[in-house]
Amino acid sequence: MTRTTYEQIDAPYPNPCGGCADAGKFRDVWFALVWLGALGGSIYMGVRNYLDGGYYGGNDAAAMTTTLTTTTNTLTGVPPVPIAMGAVTAAAFAVLLMYLARSFPVPVIWVCNIVIIIVEVALAGMLLLAHPAQTIGGAILLIFAAIHCCWLYCSRHRIPFAGQCLATACRVNVKYWGTFVVSVVTTAFLVATAVAVFVALSTNTEAFPLRPLSYVFVFILFWHEEVLQNVIHVTTVGVTADWFFSLGGPGTPALYQQKSAYPTAGAFKRATTWSLGSICFGSLFVAILKTIRCILESMRDQNSVLDCFIICILGCIENLVRYFNDYAFVQVGVYGKPYITAAKDTWALVTSGTLWGSIVNDMLVNAVFSIFVLVGTLLTVGVLYLTKIPREHCGLADCDEVVGLVLSGVAALLILVLFMKQIYSSMMTVFICYADLAAQGHQWRSVDIGGETATMAQCLDEKRMAYAAQETVLL
């Protein structure tokens, strides 16, 4: 039986290149200037605060200096060998897992979702058998497992397309591994600058007579975090779009008419210059919501159900805004649109029903990301345990095997999360690019759902099909 899949787009959708005619023009530049000024001022005050032992003239400057010195000595005393080995081993496992997902995308999605259902059922059984007081928790987990089963069954005909999106995202990230280098370097810069902002924040009560001033630094810290994370996201988006449109042909934006010799460097340049203002603009909304939630959590009554409910709702809104921004930044990264234009076009995708297909893709593949991170972390810790590297190079006083393994596990977890975020960004980009091609008249073809033969090549013309085959051979 043959029927048209959900990827076919019949609803109206705006011109994908609208608002991006001048690809080299700086967008939303004032927001970038404000962010740079706020970040630079915070770093300056943090450095002065550290060097002077209390830049604001607190009465206990010596105690604060002692605390900062102790913290610095602790950080410098962390053994580098377990962390480095954990990161390198995790990176190797991440590449292997990406090759696995690229080669067998559909079975990987099925297996990972089924494993999560089994884990939910197992945890529910443990709670039900452990103690009568845990009956409610076990019942809730069983309900979640049942819902997961029903949803997976109802979405089974969408797994082939989600699998091909996953395979394409893995192919792009394996070929353009420079995106991961950008991710690691940007994350390291985020940590270093965040420490400086935190030092500006971490003064005693007398040093900060105005409590609202501390919330200003919290807001700057959150804004800085969101901006740099989205710079990584937009860079990966740009690289994926460069791969997608590298053959040219109908529907190719002017930005990709000429193939770039260094797509990663070009995408990073666009993210940190032309589109930096748009990234700062969109990240501002999430930073505001995070700051409000932080303030409410610091003021809430631990026994107040209403306070917990309000903070929970605010957290949900924050996650929705961040998820919306992820797709808006795809428009920014692919076409160089201003944030407002990108947000309007993303909302048009929502109202037309187009984006719901990508949401299903995300839900199906999130299970893969979760299992990959868990398995990669456990494999990394297991390998380092067998090789005894953390035990022999721990480097801390009174340090035992557990400390080295924990450090290795944390490093592995961070590296694997960075890899999965790269794949996630590429998947979003692939779907949006297909949606834009469809909006210009390149409608999806019908595919055989019963035989699960839906592939990305069937959604493209013969030229792109040949390119996909060529990529498979080369990689």
Side-chain angles (χ1 to χ4, degrees), residues 173 176-191 225 227-240 262-273 279 414-415 418-419 421-422 425:
N173 282 276
Y176 300 107
W177 52 268
T179 56
F180 179 70
V181 176
V182 170
S183 177
V184 172
V185 172
T186 306
T187 302
F189 176 74
L190 167 61
V191 173
E225 174 194 3
V227 168
L228 291 188
Q229 286 184 353
N230 288 322
V231 165
I232 298 172
H233 175 57
V234 172
T235 300
T236 307
V237 167
V239 173
T240 307
Y262 305 100
T264 304
F268 182 71
K269 175 185 175 182
R270 293 193 297 272
T272 54
T273 54
I279 294 173
L414 294 177
I415 293 297
L418 289 179
F419 266 101
K421 284 185 176 181
Q422 300 292 104
S425 299

Side-chain angles (χ1 to χ4, degrees), residues 89 166 204 450:
T89 308
L166 175 62
N204 53 36

Side-chain angles (χ1 to χ4, degrees), residues 19-200:
C20 57
D22 300 326
K25 183 179 180 180
F26 287 93
R27 306 292 186 178
D28 303 313
V29 64
W30 288 109
F31 291 94
L33 294 176
V34 172
W35 173 71
L36 289 172
L39 178 63
S42 300
I43 293 175
Y44 170 76
M45 286 188 282
V47 172
R48 287 292 302 272
N49 197 18
Y50 178 78
L51 295 177
D52 297 345
Y55 178 71
Y56 293 99
N59 295 328
D60 200 12
M64 191 188 72
T65 303
T66 302
T67 302
L68 292 174
T69 303
T70 303
T71 303
T72 303
N73 293 335
T74 302
L75 293 176
T76 55
V78 173
V81 173
I83 296 176
M85 292 302 300
V88 172
T89 308
F93 279 124
V95 173
L96 292 177
L97 291 172
M98 284 196 294
Y99 271 104
L100 176 65
R102 195 192 70 174
S103 303
F104 310 100
V106 173
V108 164
I109 293 177
W110 275 108
V111 169
C112 290
N113 278 277
I114 292 174
V115 167
I116 288 182
I117 292 174
I118 293 174
V119 171
E120 291 172 346
V121 173
L123 291 177
M126 292 173 59
L127 290 177
L128 291 174
L129 297 176
H131 194 274
Q134 306 295 334
T135 303
I136 297 179
I140 292 175
L141 277 178
L142 282 179
I143 293 174
F144 285 161
I147 294 175
H148 196 162
C149 285
C150 294
W151 176 80
L152 184 62
Y153 176 80
C154 295
S155 303
R156 66 191 185 282
H157 64 280
R158 302 184 176 185
I159 292 180
F161 184 78
Q164 294 302 323
C165 287
L166 175 62
T168 301
C170 292
R171 178 180 294 116
V172 172
N173 282 276
V174 168
K175 182 176 183 179
Y176 300 107
W177 52 268
T179 56
F180 179 70
V181 176
V182 170
S183 177
V184 172
V185 172
T186 306
T187 302
F189 176 74
L190 167 61
V191 173
T193 51
V195 169
V197 177
F198 181 77
V199 170

